Coordinates of all heavy atoms in Angstrom, one line a residue:
Chain F
R3 N 130.1 152.7 139.4 CA 130.3 151.6 140.4 C 131.8 151.4 140.6 O 132.6 151.5 139.6 CB 129.7 150.3 139.8 CG 128.2 150.4 139.8 CD 127.7 149.3 138.8 NE 128.1 148.0 139.3 CZ 127.4 147.3 140.2 NH1 126.3 147.8 140.7 NH2 127.8 146.1 140.5
T4 N 132.2 151.1 141.7 CA 133.6 150.8 142.0 C 133.9 149.4 141.4 O 133.0 148.6 141.2 CB 133.9 150.7 143.5 OG1 133.2 149.6 144.0 CG2 133.5 152.0 144.2
E7 N 132.4 146.5 143.4 CA 131.0 146.3 143.3 C 130.7 145.5 142.0 O 129.8 144.6 142.1 CB 130.2 147.6 143.2 CG 130.1 148.3 144.5 CD 129.4 149.7 144.4 OE1 130.0 150.5 143.7 OE2 128.3 149.9 144.9
V8 N 131.4 145.8 141.0 CA 131.1 145.0 139.8 C 131.5 143.6 140.0 O 130.8 142.6 139.7 CB 131.9 145.6 138.6 CG1 131.8 144.7 137.4 CG2 131.4 147.0 138.3
R9 N 132.7 143.4 140.6 CA 133.3 142.1 140.7 C 132.4 141.2 141.5 O 132.2 140.0 141.3 CB 134.7 142.2 141.3 CG 135.3 140.8 141.4 CD 136.9 141.0 141.4 NE 137.4 142.2 141.9 CZ 138.1 142.2 143.0 NH1 138.3 141.2 143.8 NH2 138.5 143.4 143.5
F10 N 131.7 141.7 142.5 CA 131.0 140.9 143.5 C 129.5 141.1 143.4 O 128.8 140.9 144.3 CB 131.4 141.2 144.9 CG 132.9 140.8 145.1 CD1 133.8 141.8 145.5 CD2 133.2 139.5 145.0 CE1 135.1 141.4 145.7 CE2 134.6 139.1 145.2 CZ 135.5 140.1 145.6
S11 N 129.0 141.5 142.2 CA 127.6 141.8 142.1 C 126.7 140.6 142.0 O 125.6 140.7 141.8 CB 127.4 142.7 140.9 OG 127.7 142.0 139.7
G12 N 127.3 139.4 142.1 CA 126.4 138.2 142.2 C 127.0 137.1 141.4 O 128.2 137.1 141.0
C14 N 126.7 136.3 138.5 CA 127.0 136.6 137.2 C 128.3 137.4 137.1 O 128.5 138.2 136.2 CB 125.9 137.4 136.5 SG 125.6 138.9 137.5
R15 N 129.1 137.3 138.2 CA 130.2 138.3 138.3 C 131.3 138.2 137.2 O 132.1 139.0 137.1 CB 130.9 138.2 139.7 CG 131.6 136.9 139.9 CD 131.9 136.8 141.4 NE 132.6 135.6 141.7 CZ 132.6 135.0 142.9 NH1 131.9 135.6 143.9 NH2 133.2 133.9 143.1
A16 N 131.2 137.1 136.4 CA 132.1 137.0 135.3 C 131.8 138.0 134.2 O 132.6 138.3 133.3 CB 132.2 135.6 134.7
A17 N 130.6 138.5 134.2 CA 130.1 139.4 133.1 C 130.9 140.7 133.2 O 130.7 141.5 134.1 CB 128.7 139.7 133.3
P18 N 131.8 141.0 132.3 CA 132.7 142.1 132.4 C 132.0 143.4 132.1 O 132.4 144.5 132.6 CB 133.8 141.8 131.4 CG 133.1 140.9 130.3 CD 132.1 140.2 131.1
K19 N 130.9 143.4 131.3 CA 130.3 144.7 131.0 C 129.2 145.1 131.9 O 128.5 146.1 131.7 CB 129.7 144.5 129.6 CG 130.8 144.4 128.5 CD 130.1 144.1 127.1 CE 131.2 143.6 126.2 NZ 130.6 142.9 125.0
S20 N 129.1 144.4 133.0 CA 128.0 144.7 134.0 C 128.1 146.1 134.5 O 129.2 146.6 134.9 CB 128.1 143.7 135.2 OG 127.2 144.1 136.2
D21 N 127.0 146.9 134.4 CA 127.0 148.2 135.1 C 125.6 148.5 135.6 O 124.7 147.6 135.5 CB 127.5 149.3 134.1 CG 126.5 149.4 132.9 OD1 125.3 149.5 133.1 OD2 127.0 149.4 131.7
T22 N 125.4 149.6 136.2 CA 124.2 149.9 136.9 C 123.0 149.8 135.9 O 121.9 149.5 136.4 CB 124.2 151.3 137.5 OG1 125.6 151.7 137.6 CG2 123.6 151.3 138.9
N23 N 123.2 150.1 134.7 CA 122.1 150.1 133.7 C 121.9 148.8 133.0 O 121.0 148.6 132.2 CB 122.3 151.2 132.7 CG 122.4 152.6 133.3 OD1 121.6 152.9 134.3 ND2 123.4 153.4 132.9
A24 N 122.8 147.8 133.3 CA 122.7 146.5 132.7 C 121.3 145.9 133.0 O 120.7 146.1 134.1 CB 123.8 145.6 133.1
P25 N 120.8 145.1 132.1 CA 119.5 144.5 132.3 C 119.6 143.5 133.5 O 120.6 142.9 133.7 CB 119.2 143.8 131.0 CG 120.5 143.6 130.3 CD 121.3 144.7 130.8
P45 N 126.8 138.3 127.9 CA 127.0 138.2 129.3 C 125.7 137.8 130.0 O 124.6 138.3 129.5 CB 127.5 139.6 129.7 CG 126.9 140.5 128.7 CD 126.9 139.7 127.4
W46 N 125.8 137.1 131.1 CA 124.6 136.9 131.9 C 124.1 138.2 132.5 O 124.9 139.0 132.9 CB 124.9 135.9 133.0 CG 124.8 134.5 132.6 CD1 125.9 133.7 132.3 CD2 123.7 133.6 132.5 NE1 125.5 132.4 132.0 CE2 124.1 132.4 132.1 CE3 122.3 133.8 132.8 CZ2 123.2 131.3 131.9 CZ3 121.4 132.8 132.6 CH2 121.9 131.5 132.2
P47 N 122.8 138.4 132.4 CA 122.4 139.7 133.1 C 122.6 139.7 134.6 O 122.8 138.6 135.2 CB 120.9 139.7 132.7 CG 120.5 138.4 132.4 CD 121.7 137.6 131.9
K48 N 122.6 140.8 135.1 CA 122.8 140.9 136.6 C 121.7 140.2 137.3 O 120.5 140.2 136.9 CB 122.8 142.4 137.0 CG 124.1 143.1 136.7 CD 124.0 144.6 136.9 CE 123.0 145.0 138.0 NZ 123.6 146.0 138.9
A49 N 122.0 139.7 138.5 CA 121.0 139.0 139.3 C 120.1 139.9 140.1 O 119.0 139.6 140.4 CB 121.7 137.9 140.1
W50 N 120.7 141.0 140.5 CA 119.9 141.9 141.3 C 120.3 143.4 141.0 O 121.4 143.6 140.6 CB 119.9 141.7 142.8 CG 121.2 141.7 143.4 CD1 121.9 142.8 143.9 CD2 122.1 140.6 143.7 NE1 123.1 142.4 144.5 CE2 123.2 141.1 144.4 CE3 122.0 139.2 143.5 CZ2 124.3 140.2 144.8 CZ3 123.0 138.4 143.9 CH2 124.1 138.9 144.5
S52 N 121.4 147.3 141.7 CA 122.2 148.0 142.7 C 121.8 149.5 142.7 O 122.5 150.3 142.2 CB 123.7 147.9 142.2 OG 124.1 146.6 142.1

Side-chain angles (χ1 to χ4, degrees):
Chain F
R3 293 161 58 86
T4 65
E7 281 175 299
V8 172
R9 183 152 31 110
F10 295 118
S11 62
C14 58
R15 65 191 179 204
K19 290 170 194 162
S20 173
D21 62 50
T22 342
N23 300 318
W46 277 96
K48 283 169 32 131
W50 58 84
S52 303

